[in-house]
Every structure is written in structure tokens, then in C-alpha cells.
Amino acid sequence: MSVVIRNLQKSDQDQVRKIILEGLAERWGAEFDPSYNKDLDDIYGYYVDRHHATVAVLEEHEQQLHDSKQPVVIGCGILLPLPAEDLYGTWCVEPESIRDAANSAGLKKMCRMMRLSVSADRRGQGLAKKMIRHLIEKARERQFDLILVETEVLWTSAVQIYKSEGFSVAVADHENVHYTYRLDSTTIPRVDNK
């Protein structure tokens, strides 16, 4: 098997939505309400057309020459230019302290890495790291200065992967942690010690 990363096509939307919702359901259990995620109803329209985001998918290919299986989408990630209007109240707003610290450091062009997800049966193979690295390179190509990421403290796999890929904690409390990744390889100071 080989895995490639490519841009989202409209025909991928159902597969991508399923992967993200399955991951959220796994994380939240009985509390999970898929109707809260209206941004996933038309991923291409909402993220690519409306917000000019980079939406990438991980696609798995069979390497056998005579196998007629179609490629399968097994993961995704989004790089959303900021500021962006959250029509559905899905995103956690970036703390003002991060924006202020970024502006003070001369980092004007920011984006958010979000909706990073890999199919449960493909985890543990380094695919999320591959997607993060791809999105970092796309952010460089688009000349962003800073990438922001928000996750929950209790989502330990996400916390570990962002730390391992060089993201720095900017703001944290007992529930959420906001990370930054400066594209010039240096870090901005942590702005909250909670």
C-alpha cells in the first residue's frame, strides 16, 4: 500500500465527513452530537470556496498492478486562513492574547490547522504526522507567518503529536490548549501560565 496526500475534491466530502465524525464520536462517546458540526455538511463549499482554505486528504492506493480497487480516503486536515468567519460556532476562537503576541512579534499572516483526522484502522502509522508536515509546508507556500492549533488537554494523542512536531504551547487551561508554530522556526513566548 502507498499513501499520497492531495487536495480535497468534491467527491471526497462524504468520506472525509465520515472520518472526522467517527473520530469525534470516539472521543466524545455518548455526549457526541454530529449535528453540531454543520461545517462538515459541505466541506468544499464552506472551507475551499468560502474561506480559501487548504483541505488535504490522505489517500491509500493498492500497489498491485492487477488490483482494480479504487483509492480510499483515510485521513484529512485543513489549513484555514485567519481571520475567518465561523458561521456555525464550530471553532474555538483564538485567544486575543495569542493574536496580540503574534502582532507584537510582527506575525501578521496567520492560519489555523484543524480537522486533522485519520481513520481508526490506520492510526499508529505516522499518517497524522505526515499530514501535519504537509500542512506546514502548504502554510509556508502560502506565506503564512504563524499556524495556530487548538485541542483539548485530555485528548492526549493530539497533545503529544503537536508537541512532537514542534508546536509550542501559547495558552492553556484545565480544558483546552492552544499551540502555535512559527514558520520561521522560532517560537513566540507563552502568553498564559494557567
Side-chain angles (χ1 to χ4, degrees):
M1 305 263 178
S2 68
V3 175
V4 298
I5 299 179
R6 61 170 175 77
N7 288 335
L8 175 82
Q9 298 170 3
K10 288 182 181 181
S11 60
D12 300 322
Q13 291 189 118
D14 289 340
Q15 291 177 76
V16 170
R17 183 178 192 275
K18 182 179 183 225
I19 290 167
I20 293 170
L21 291 178
E22 285 175 353
L24 291 171
E26 182 182 323
R27 168 68 180 99
W28 293 105
E31 297 177 34
F32 179 64
D33 179 1
S35 68
Y36 177 71
N37 296 275
K38 296 281 186 205
D39 62 315
L40 302 178
D41 291 346
D42 178 10
I43 299 165
Y44 196 94
Y46 190 63
Y47 285 105
V48 178
D49 289 341
R50 182 180 186 85
H51 293 294
H52 309 289
T54 299
V55 183
V57 297
L58 287 160
E59 185 176 72
E60 185 175 64
H61 294 259
E62 293 283 342
Q63 289 184 326
Q64 298 171 352
L65 294 175
H66 303 293
D67 194 332
S68 62
K69 287 186 178 181
Q70 294 295 315
V72 177
V73 173
I74 58 169
C76 60
I78 297 175
L79 198 62
L80 177 73
L82 297 174
E85 182 183 10
D86 181 6
L87 299 179
Y88 305 117
T90 306
W91 316 324
C92 179
V93 175
E94 306 78 44
E96 282 186 41
S97 57
I98 292 177
R99 287 193 305 267
D100 292 347
N103 286 330
S104 294
L107 306 172
K108 304 292 185 201
K109 195 169 176 190
M110 295 182 282
C111 61
R112 174 189 287 249
M113 188 180 295
M114 58 188 295
R115 295 297 195 190
L116 186 70
S117 193
V118 175
S119 296
D121 61 340
R122 297 297 189 268
R123 291 183 199 144
Q125 300 172 20
L127 296 174
K129 286 184 179 187
K130 186 174 183 174
M131 178 59 78
I132 289 170
R133 291 171 187 162
H134 175 81
L135 292 174
I136 289 170
E137 286 310 308
K138 289 295 176 186
R140 279 194 177 99
E141 288 173 16
R142 292 185 68 177
Q143 299 180 335
F144 287 109
D145 298 316
L146 188 69
I147 301 172
L148 308 177
V149 174
E150 183 268 335
T151 192
E152 292 196 357
V153 173
L154 296 177
W155 208 331
T156 56
S157 61
V159 167
Q160 291 170 353
I161 198 165
Y162 290 122
K163 283 183 180 179
S164 75
E165 290 304 304
F167 285 76
S168 301
V169 174
V171 177
D173 59 31
H174 65 283
E175 287 184 25
N176 299 308
V177 58
H178 296 263
Y179 291 99
T180 58
Y181 187 98
R182 245 178 104 157
L183 290 156
D184 65 2
S185 303
T186 60
T187 58
I188 63 173
R190 184 175 171 145
V191 292
D192 184 14
N193 292 325
K194 291 182 184 175

